[in-house]
Amino acid sequence: MTAYDQAAAAAAHLRSRGVEGATLGVILGSGLGMFAERVQDPVVVSYREIPHWPVPTVVGHEGQLLCGTVGGVRVICLQGRAHYYEGHPMERVVFPTRVLGLLGVKTLLVTNAAGGMNPGFAPGDLMIVTDHVNLMGVNPLRGEHDERFGPRFADMTHAYDRQVQELIIQTSFQLAVSAVRGVYAAVAGPSYETPAEIRMLRTIGADAVGMSTVPEVIAARQMKIRIGAISVITNAAAGVTGEPLSHDEVTATSKRVGKKFSDLIEAVIPKL
Ligand code: HPA
């Protein structure tokens, strides 16, 4: 069975469960699952029930799909994602994104927790992603090509839609939520970076670093899905303050900013 056929089977299963009619998708990052409470009248499907769907194993990732409305807009919300560092091949990491595309999603909001190395950033800041640097060492489009997902050599010039970025920034002003803009560097993980690696990432133009998002964005752009991405800066990147990093700090910051993060996404969705 090709990756396309598997994605089509997953999409067909979801349609049979009532997951239909949404043109907007939201992927929730580490510790950011609380936004799912804002989805009204949801159909909830556990990832385990969806054919071929990768099941995440990380603490802080619930592992379910919700389809309902937010501000009157029908959305599909993924609460939890599979990461490359869990051992999933890239093709599986981007499987859910492709299924969303087959279900008719035209705009995807991708969220993540990230370490900040821009000295102007503080833990708890929300960063609107303007561009990325893929340092994962792999590309999800590598391997057998299926034109039904889009072109082999997918364009990444405007990967993060300008209009979506502006809408998120405007909305953050209206809500008096401070948001910054920046470039997201994706690494494979799962160990955190060394201070020397963070100095390198800063030098090459990155503002924040994390272990997700870029595969999904690449797969989505191949399908011509419009992208908005928000990083929650959960910690100062390695060496910035000298304090050691921990996953507990990451999830604690995500929890702390959960309300403003959820308020922002909830307010943005009807404008997209
Ligand atoms: N580095 C990589 N990934 C992360 C970090 C970090 O500092 N914080 C949250 N995800």
Side-chain angles (χ1 to χ4, degrees):
M1 209 182 202
T2 66
Y4 187 91
D5 292 336
Q6 292 186 351
H13 175 85
L14 287 166
R15 272 192 216 100
S16 78
R17 304 277 301 264
V19 177
E20 291 188 286
T23 56
L24 189 86
V26 183
I27 302 180
L28 298 173
S30 285
L32 300 171
M34 70 291 268
F35 173 76
E37 290 163 23
R38 309 286 179 103
V39 181
Q40 310 268 298
D41 307 317
V43 172
V44 182
V45 184
S46 165
Y47 289 168
R48 290 173 202 289
E49 300 164 34
I50 311 171
H52 313 293
W53 196 280
V55 176
T57 55
V58 196
V59 179
H61 288 261
E62 282 74 7
Q64 56 186 16
L65 176 152
L66 299 91
C67 182
T69 61
V70 175
V73 177
R74 200 153 170 78
V75 302
I76 301 175
C77 181
L78 303 187
Q79 195 178 23
R81 58 150 69 86
H83 293 85
Y84 182 61
Y85 62 73
E86 292 173 76
H88 304 284
M90 269 301 169
E91 186 175 286
R92 312 229 4 98
V93 171
V94 300
F95 183 82
T97 301
R98 288 175 161 168
V99 174
L100 293 188
L102 295 187
L103 285 169
V105 164
K106 300 283 182 250
T107 303
L108 184 61
L109 287 180
V110 193
T111 70
N112 59 63
M117 79 273 294
N118 180 322
F121 292 3
D125 282 350
L126 303 182
M127 183 184 90
I128 316 307
V129 180
T130 57
D131 206 346
H132 75 224
V133 182
N134 179 13
L135 295 170
M136 297 182 101
V138 278
N139 189 295
L141 309 189
R142 177 174 183 265
E144 204 178 318
H145 175 59
D146 193 324
E147 196 68 30
R148 288 173 290 182
F149 287 126
R152 154 75 89 190
F153 302 104
D155 177 50
M156 294 291 137
T157 312
H158 301 289
Y160 299 81
D161 189 82
R162 265 310 279 266
Q163 202 190 347
V164 175
Q165 289 178 41
E166 290 308 317
L167 282 173
I168 301 174
I169 292 281
Q170 277 172 24
T171 311
S172 74
F173 283 137
Q174 284 160 9
L175 296 180
V177 165
S178 65
V180 293
R181 278 179 237 240
V183 172
Y184 177 91
V187 294
S191 64
Y192 290 117
E193 302 69 38
T194 63
E197 288 166 343
I198 293 301
R199 287 194 296 276
M200 175 195 74
L201 295 178
R202 185 72 192 133
T203 303
I204 65 172
D207 298 290
V209 58
M211 305 172 192
S212 68
T213 299
V214 164
E216 289 110 320
V217 168
I218 293 172
R221 289 306 298 151
Q222 184 185 37
M223 298 179 89
K224 296 280 186 288
I225 296 170
R226 196 165 68 131
I227 295 288
I230 303 177
S231 295
V232 173
I233 305 300
T234 51
N235 57 283
V240 173
T241 64
E243 287 298 312
L245 275 56
S246 74
H247 186 60
D248 289 344
E249 179 191 6
V250 169
T251 47
T253 308
S254 302
K255 276 214 179 70
R256 179 161 66 76
V257 302
K259 188 186 174 305
K260 77 170 178 181
F261 167 82
S262 300
D263 287 350
L264 179 61
I265 296 188
E266 188 172 29
V268 162
I269 284 175
K271 301 182 185 172
L272 290 173

